[in-house]
Amino acid sequence: MASEITLLVNPTAGRGRGARAARPAAAALRDAGFSVRTVLGSDAGDALRRAREAVDGGTGALMAVGGDGMVSLALQAVAGTPTPLGVIAVGTGNDFARTLGLPVRDPAAAGRLAARALKEDGVRDVDLGRVGGTWFGTVLASGFDSRVNDRGNRMRLPGRFRYDLAMVAELAALRPFPYRMTLDGGAEREIEATLVAVGNGTSYGGGMRICADAELDDGLFDVTVVGECSRTTLLKVFPKVYRGTHLSHPKVTVHRAAGVSLAAPGVTAYADGEQLGPLPLTAVCVPGAVRVLCKAD
């Protein structure tokens, strides 16, 4: 058991919760006998460089303190290495932590859980998605939901309000996208779809269970396709996403595959809430790509 733990902190996560959460999480780890080093970084690139240095230097674990964006950053440092990832989930969405059943917005509890996991070998090997050189843990979004993100990111408005306005605007302009989709290197399928979500985990957007049946350790993505539908249908289906009951709707189909290629004009992909770039792209599920601190069996 390596005794030094590195906290990778996003000071702006959850309107400042990231910086505040580091203190009780660090205290819980120190109380358990670990030494703790905190890494902030001047920006995302600097934070990632520092995180990789910590991993290369043999840190006992890299703890992401923040939301899914900080988890995504940490994954780029620990994926494919023996260094375990801990999650102190204090962001807005926290979907990676939710999928793993980890404490959300309770940094002291998350710190205690991580300490127990380190002492009792409570480490779980989970799959990750990979697009080129970028890893993701939850869902790759494309189509209507990613267009909402695109529009919201262009707005100079505070907080969640801009994304609500962006959704209204995208609903007014709703149209299907002509996708070309290939699963596991098979025949290319041409489909008209409102969105295609590639799920390593179950949810995105703070609990929207778009890929509700996805498993983190089965070596496969759940690919949820919402077909061409009207605004009325989409508004009826949308609330069901939070319960995962949308999967039975006739406009929704689910495929399972270890590799997915997507192409559609004018569509940007996001993964773990972070922009990947425009389609086309290919996502591959990599089994056991990261070791995560969870409850010990």
Side-chain angles (χ1 to χ4, degrees), residues 107-253:
R112 290 192 297 269
L113 184 151
R116 287 196 303 271
L118 285 164
K119 289 185 173 184
E120 300 170 13
D121 197 27
V123 180
R124 178 182 174 188
D125 294 335
V126 303
D127 306 339
L128 292 177
R130 189 168 190 175
V131 177
T134 302
W135 300 92
F136 68 93
T138 57
V139 176
L140 185 157
S142 73
F144 174 77
D145 42 9
S146 64
R147 290 293 289 268
V148 170
N149 264 322
D150 285 341
R151 186 182 289 268
N153 289 341
R154 294 194 298 268
M155 292 180 174
R156 295 184 177 180
L157 292 169
R160 184 74 193 180
F161 181 60
R162 69 179 183 269
Y163 292 103
D164 293 338
L165 283 181
M167 180 172 290
V168 171
E170 287 300 323
L171 277 170
L174 183 67
R175 59 180 175 82
F177 300 96
Y179 278 90
R180 301 192 311 278
M181 180 174 72
T182 303
L183 303 176
D184 289 336
E188 184 176 84
R189 311 176 188 206
E190 295 185 358
I191 56 175
E192 296 285 318
T194 301
L195 65 87
V196 178
V198 180
N200 181 59
T202 58
S203 68
Y204 61 4
M208 297 172 62
R209 303 184 70 233
I210 188 70
C211 300
D213 294 334
E215 299 284 348
L216 282 171
D217 55 6
D218 63 355
L220 298 171
F221 293 127
D222 276 29
V223 184
T224 301
V225 179
V226 178
E228 181 178 1
C229 59
S230 66
R231 283 187 288 274
T232 300
T233 299
L234 187 60
L235 286 170
K236 285 181 179 178
V237 172
F238 182 78
K240 297 181 179 182
V241 175
Y242 287 95
R243 300 186 300 275
T245 56
H246 63 293
L247 298 181
S248 62
H249 194 279
K251 290 291 185 179
V252 178
T253 55

Side-chain angles (χ1 to χ4, degrees), residues 9 23 47-48 54 62 68 73 77-78 93 132 166 171 179 215 217 222 253 258:
V9 180
R23 292 190 290 272
L48 178 56
L62 183 68
D68 287 319
L73 193 69
V78 298
L171 277 170
Y179 278 90
E215 299 284 348
D217 55 6
D222 276 29
T253 55

